[in-house]
Structures are given as C-alpha cells and as structure tokens.
C-alpha cells in the first residue's frame, strides 16, 4: 500500500492477474502477471522491466484496454472495465511514445455500462516516451509530468533504460519505482533501493553501477 | 483581450484522444509559436483552430466571436488566413497572378475571376503591394513553377496576405528549406510582425526561439509547456541539448 495513511488510494489493482495460455490440448501458461497494489494520487511512478515482462500489459489493464484474467482495477472507486469504452480515458489515459493507444474489444453495449465519474484523466500512463537529448523537448516533458502530479494526478512513466541519462531522468522525477519481471511487480521507494536489488541489477547490467 | 482564443479543445478520432483540453490565446499583433516533436498533434491542433476539424468539446473565439465549427471558408472571410504544409499555388500562373486572384477585389468578380481583373489599376497596385511586402516584386512576371523553393514559400505567404487577414497561421513553414532559406523566411516573418497577428506552427525549436513572442509546446495532444523563448530556453534540458549549446 503506497497511499498516504487515511486517504483512499486513487488506483487499486485488487488481486489482478493476467494469464496468456498457448496450446490446444496441452494448455500451458505462456505469460503470467500478478499485481496487488494500491497507489495514491499526486505522485510519479517509474516503471522498469525487461521487454516482454508485462509493462505494457500492466498499463493496458490500468487503462481498460486489456481485461485482467481475474481481479479488479479501480480508479477513484470505479471498476474501469465496467466503464463505457469511450469514457475510460476520463479515468486513465495510455500513451505509447507520441500516440495514445486504444484498441478495445467491445463485449457489451455502452448503455449497460457505467459512465466515467471524472471529466479529465486521473491516471496518465506514459509508455516508453521518446527522450531525445538532442532536441531539448525532454525538459518540457518532465515539467509536464510534474504539473500533472501537482494537479493531484497519478503519473506512470515506463522506461527501458539503455543509457545513464534515462536513469537520471527517473531519479529526477519519480517518487517511487516499480520493477516488472518474472510475472510479479516489485515496488521501491527510492531508485537507489531498486538499483541495489539483485534482480534489477541483472536486468540493468552495467547500467546499474552508472546510475545516480 | 486576446484576438484569438481556444478554450478546452477536445478531439478524438475513434477511440483515441488526439487533443486533450487544449487552451491557447493570441494577443492582437503578437507573433506566437506552437511547437512540438513530430506526431505530437500540432497539425491536428492547427486544423481545429482553423476550422477544418470540429472539436468535440471546447470553444474557438476570434475577435469576440464564437467561430467553433464554422466552415473554413466562413472563418477565412472573418479574417483568418492559413498556409499549408503542402504548398497550394497555381503553377502555370505568374507570381503576380497568384496574388491577384487571391485579392478580395478579384474574388468579387465572380463571372470573370482572372481575365480583366488585372487590367484594373487598383487590383494591380494591390497585388504589387503584397508582393513588395514579401520581397517578390522583382519576380512578379515569372511563372510560379519557376520559383526556387524558398521563394515559393514567400509567395504562399503573399497569397495568404492578399486576403487582408487579421490573423495568419503558418503550418511548418520551414519544411523543405535549408538553413539559408530558413534565415530568409525568418526575416520575412519578422518584417510582417506588428502588421497582423501571426501564429507559426513549427517542429524546429531553433526557428521559433528566434522569432516568437510566446510559444506553446504541444505533445500528447496537450499543451505541455508555454512561455517566452527566454523562459523556455532556460530549461536545463534545453540548455543541455544541441540547441542550447549552439545558442
């Protein structure tokens, strides 16, 4: 639980699990991600993890574009997977690089679903934003993340660091960190704590020692 | 009061939000910039501001009038001109004719839009005056297709100016121009400053930093930063970038 004591968390991942299976007769689990966590608003969370570990799947489940196999994703108390498709971005909005990502498999008519209770996205998910040190836009992007936080929103920034400056960025803006690997999501309050974790060190390789 | 104001623009294409709560305002006589990385939503924003797309929510106000959802030609008639990333010129017409046909005096001659209009000395003088403003008076008789790229840009601006707009939008005017062409274009735009309100949409930060009074930075379909070039340049990441070290 990472919410402030006594305050209701903005985002609750309540016993969420996602399973992908393969094989027709001998079914085996090809992918599994379990997450049971809650987050207060007004913070920036850095998300790290190897490719294929489920960072984007996690973001999709929060944004309501990928249904969990079990469990519930609640934003400001609303189960996002019961909210009308067109209104889910009033709760959580998912950007991959420059573009907003949304592809819904519609399984129920809108009139049977709930309306979003917010007029503006409460959770902002930035999936591998393109940070180019050459053009200087990074600074404006980081200021924007901070502004969203100051407006009480919950911001996730997912990065797959390949250069030290990307760790510097995470250290500069993030209030806490998630590491998605091996089907689970680990949480850290400081980047230094994450960088001391053996699994994170294996993932980052040489970069772990060059971090801030 | 601002000459042009957008309040809370929201637009989606299908399931995707392409503009999220964009608010902008431009003071009369100012030169403003809108910049952002490629794919950030600049052109979509521009298309909403100039009436090509109707926003799902939000308002566009010009000169005290609500112009949200008005047809582009009606918006143009109110005094807003725009250029395009892809240049729209009549290649077989001369430089002079391209401007002459865009003059309101010519456009009023519905039955004879081109023919004898130029014979009218007032029309000819007005067209030449516009060409002088963009530095193309010497090339008035050349066919548009013979112009070098940079001069085509200037002619396109002349065509937009011919309508006598209060507000001129320029969409990525440096597209396809080399450094000389950019410098010449910057001089041209600067020379127009104060004569009308100008909004330049650009990917090239450097170009806008040297030109605009105020800049809005757009990314993810939202205004992520705004301020004077001096304030934006003070950002440590901008200072550390190629641009900052060059400036």
């Amino acid at each position: 639980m990472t919410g402030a004591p006594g305050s209701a968390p903005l985002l609750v991942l309540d016993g969420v699990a996602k399973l992908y299976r393969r094989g027709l007769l001998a079914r085996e689990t090809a992918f599994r991600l379990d997450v049971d966590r809650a987050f207060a608003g007004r913070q920036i969370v850095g998300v790290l993890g190897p490719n294929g570990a489920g960072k984007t799947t996690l973001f999709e489940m929060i944004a309501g574009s990928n249904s969990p196999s079990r469990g519930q994703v609640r934003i400001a108390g609303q189960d996002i997977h019961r909210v009308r498709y067109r209104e889910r971005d009033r709760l959580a909005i998912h950007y991959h690089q420059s573009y907003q990502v949304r592809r819904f498999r519609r399984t129920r008519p809108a009139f049977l679903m709930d309306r979003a209770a917010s007029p503006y996205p409460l959770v902002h998910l930035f999936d591998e934003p393109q940070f180019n040190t050459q053009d200087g836009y990074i600074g404006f992007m980081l200021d924007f993340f901070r502004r969203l936080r100051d407006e009480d929103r919950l911001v996730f920034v997912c990065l797959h660091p390949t250069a030290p400056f990307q760790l510097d960025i995470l250290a500069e803006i993030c209030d806490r960190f998630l590491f998605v690997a091996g089907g689970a999501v680990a949480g850290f309050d400081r980047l230094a704590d994450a960088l001391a974790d053996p699994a994170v060190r294996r993932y980052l390789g040489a970069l772990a020692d060059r971090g801030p | 009061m601002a000459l042009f104001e957008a309040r809370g623009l929201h637009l989606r294409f299908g399931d995707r939000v392409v503009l999220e709560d964009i608010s902008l305002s431009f003071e009369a006589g100012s030169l403003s910039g809108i910049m952002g990385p490629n794919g950030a939503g600049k052109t979509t924003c521009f298309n909403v501001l100039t009436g090509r797309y109707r926003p799902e929510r939000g308002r566009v106000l010009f000169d005290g009038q609500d112009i949200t959802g008005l047809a582009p030609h009606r918006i143009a008639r109110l005094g807003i001109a725009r250029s395009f990333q892809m240049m729209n010129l009549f290649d077989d017409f001369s430089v002079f004719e391209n401007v002459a046909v865009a003059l309101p005096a010519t456009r009023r001659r519905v039955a004879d839009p081109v023919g004898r209009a130029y014979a009218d000395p007032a029309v000819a003088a007005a067209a030449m005056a516009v060409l002088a403003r963009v530095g193309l008076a010497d090339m008035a008789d050349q066919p548009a297709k013979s112009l070098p790229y940079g001069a085509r840009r200037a002619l396109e601006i002349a065509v937009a100016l011919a309508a006598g707009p209060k507000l001129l939008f320029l969409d990525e005017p440096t597209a396809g121009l080399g450094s000389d062409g950019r410098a010449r274009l910057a001089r041209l735009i600067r020379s127009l400053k104060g004569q009308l309100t100008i909004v330049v949409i650009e990917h090239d930060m450097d170009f806008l930093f040297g030109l605009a009074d105020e800049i809005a930075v757009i990314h993810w379909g939202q205004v992520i930063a705004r301020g004077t070039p001096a304030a934006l340049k003070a950002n440590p990441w901008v200072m550390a970038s190629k641009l900052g070290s060059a400036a």
Side-chain angles (χ1 to χ4, degrees), chain B:
Chain B
M1 199 192 75
L3 178 69
F4 185 98
E5 195 177 348
R7 289 185 197 156
L9 298 181
H10 182 90
L11 179 73
R12 50 177 91 212
F13 294 145
D15 284 335
R16 286 164 193 230
V17 174
V18 288
L19 296 182
E20 174 68 63
D21 200 27
I22 285 203
S23 295
L24 295 164
S25 70
F26 310 118
E27 299 296 321
S30 64
L31 207 172
S32 306
I34 295 177
M35 70 184 187
N38 283 325
K42 296 189 297 293
T43 294
T44 306
C45 177
F46 190 71
N47 282 331
V48 173
L49 298 181
T50 55
R52 291 191 90 192
Y53 299 149
R54 191 195 177 104
E56 249 171 78
R57 289 197 298 277
R59 288 262 155 278
V60 183
L61 306 165
F62 175 64
D63 219 359
Q65 186 178 345
D66 188 337
I67 59 166
T68 322
L70 278 191
H73 69 276
R74 297 199 47 208
I75 290 179
R77 217 172 288 152
L78 292 173
I80 299 180
R82 65 164 291 182
S83 73
F84 293 84
Q85 263 184 59
M86 305 296 291
M87 289 194 260
N88 288 332
L89 294 172
F90 297 114
D91 267 347
D92 289 335
F93 279 25
S94 71
V95 166
F96 172 84
E97 288 166 321
N98 266 282
V99 172
V101 294
L103 289 168
T106 314
R107 301 205 145 201
R108 277 194 293 272
R109 297 171 184 244
V110 180
D112 177 24
V114 237
R116 285 180 300 274
Y118 319 138
D120 182 338
V123 168
M128 287 310 293
V130 173
L131 287 173
R133 283 170 81 187
V134 302
L136 287 180
D138 297 347
M139 299 185 179
D141 296 330
Q142 289 189 28
K145 65 182 165 211
S146 73
L147 291 186
Y149 207 77
R152 285 179 68 89
R153 275 276 169 233
L155 179 53
E156 206 205 11
I157 292 173
V159 169
L161 291 175
K166 291 179 197 162
L167 173 61
L168 172 63
F169 280 108
L170 300 173
D171 188 13
E172 302 256 0
T174 68
L177 293 181
S179 57
D180 280 2
R182 275 162 207 248
R184 239 175 282 135
L185 181 67
R187 277 200 297 277
L188 165 56
I189 295 173
R190 212 175 283 123
S191 75
L192 298 173
K193 196 165 162 174
Q195 298 176 25
L196 72 168
T197 308
I198 304 174
V199 179
V200 183
I201 315 268
E202 253 307 325
H203 161 74
D204 182 348
M205 231 188 234
D206 210 359
F207 184 79
L208 280 186
F209 276 171
L211 202 60
D213 302 315
E214 206 193 14
I215 298 172
V217 183
I218 292 188
H219 196 18
W220 299 298
Q222 310 176 47
V223 178
I224 64 167
R226 68 180 352 151
T228 61
L232 295 178
K233 269 199 264 191
N235 184 294
W237 287 91
V238 174
M239 293 205 291
S241 71
K242 185 182 64 183
L243 174 63
S245 52

Side-chain angles (χ1 to χ4, degrees), chain A residues 81-151:
Chain A
H81 294 274
R82 295 195 53 84
V83 170
R84 298 180 182 194
Y85 301 101
R86 276 177 64 87
E87 297 182 16
R88 288 183 189 177
D89 54 55
R90 299 303 85 197
L91 299 178
I93 195 159
H94 180 190
Y95 294 94
H96 185 64
Q97 295 179 347
S98 308
Y99 301 95
Q100 197 205 350
V101 195
R102 294 194 89 74
R103 262 191 309 273
F104 294 117
R105 199 144 46 96
R106 289 176 154 76
T107 56
R108 271 178 292 179
F111 73 88
L112 291 177
M113 303 176 80
D114 301 335
R115 309 214 64 135
S118 165
Y120 193 91
L122 302 171
V123 180
H124 292 250
L125 303 147
F126 295 94
D127 199 343
E128 307 213 2
Q130 282 185 320
F131 292 129
N132 178 353
T133 52
Q134 291 299 298
D135 67 14
Y137 279 113
I138 293 178
F140 306 135
M141 292 156 81
L142 302 187
D143 285 350
F144 181 56
F145 299 154
R146 292 190 186 98
R147 193 174 92 209
L148 291 171
R149 171 179 60 192
D150 294 346
E151 290 169 0

Side-chain angles (χ1 to χ4, degrees), chain A residues 42-209:
Chain A
R42 211 177 175 84
Q43 60 175 333
I44 301 175
V45 180
V47 182
L48 300 167
N51 287 326
K55 300 189 297 287
T56 294
T57 301
L58 176 64
F59 277 14
E60 286 172 346
M61 290 194 290
I62 295 171
S65 62
N66 192 347
S67 311
S69 308
R70 53 174 167 270
Q72 205 180 51
V73 177
R74 286 191 300 273
I75 297 175
Q78 278 194 295
D79 177 352
I80 192 162
H81 294 274
R82 295 195 53 84
V83 170
R84 298 180 182 194
Y85 301 101
R86 276 177 64 87
E87 297 182 16
R88 288 183 189 177
D89 54 55
R90 299 303 85 197
L91 299 178
I93 195 159
H94 180 190
Y95 294 94
H96 185 64
Q97 295 179 347
S98 308
Y99 301 95
Q100 197 205 350
V101 195
R102 294 194 89 74
R103 262 191 309 273
F104 294 117
R105 199 144 46 96
R106 289 176 154 76
T107 56
R108 271 178 292 179
F111 73 88
L112 291 177
M113 303 176 80
D114 301 335
R115 309 214 64 135
S118 165
Y120 193 91
L122 302 171
V123 180
H124 292 250
L125 303 147
F126 295 94
D127 199 343
E128 307 213 2
Q130 282 185 320
F131 292 129
N132 178 353
T133 52
Q134 291 299 298
D135 67 14
Y137 279 113
I138 293 178
F140 306 135
M141 292 156 81
L142 302 187
D143 285 350
F144 181 56
F145 299 154
R146 292 190 186 98
R147 193 174 92 209
L148 291 171
R149 171 179 60 192
D150 294 346
E151 290 169 0
D152 290 334
R153 306 213 174 94
L154 174 59
V155 179
F156 287 88
V157 180
C158 159
L159 264 191
H160 179 55
T162 52
F165 83 89
Q166 289 165 322
L167 289 178
D168 291 339
I169 287 176
L170 293 176
E172 184 182 325
I173 58 161
C174 294
D175 303 299
R176 50 185 32 85
F177 300 87
L178 295 178
F179 180 58
V180 183
V185 179
F188 301 93
D189 283 340
R190 297 182 317 133
L191 185 59
D193 297 343
L195 294 177
D197 181 89
V200 177
R201 294 187 70 79
R202 273 196 303 279
Y203 155 65
L204 288 174
L207 217 50
D209 294 317

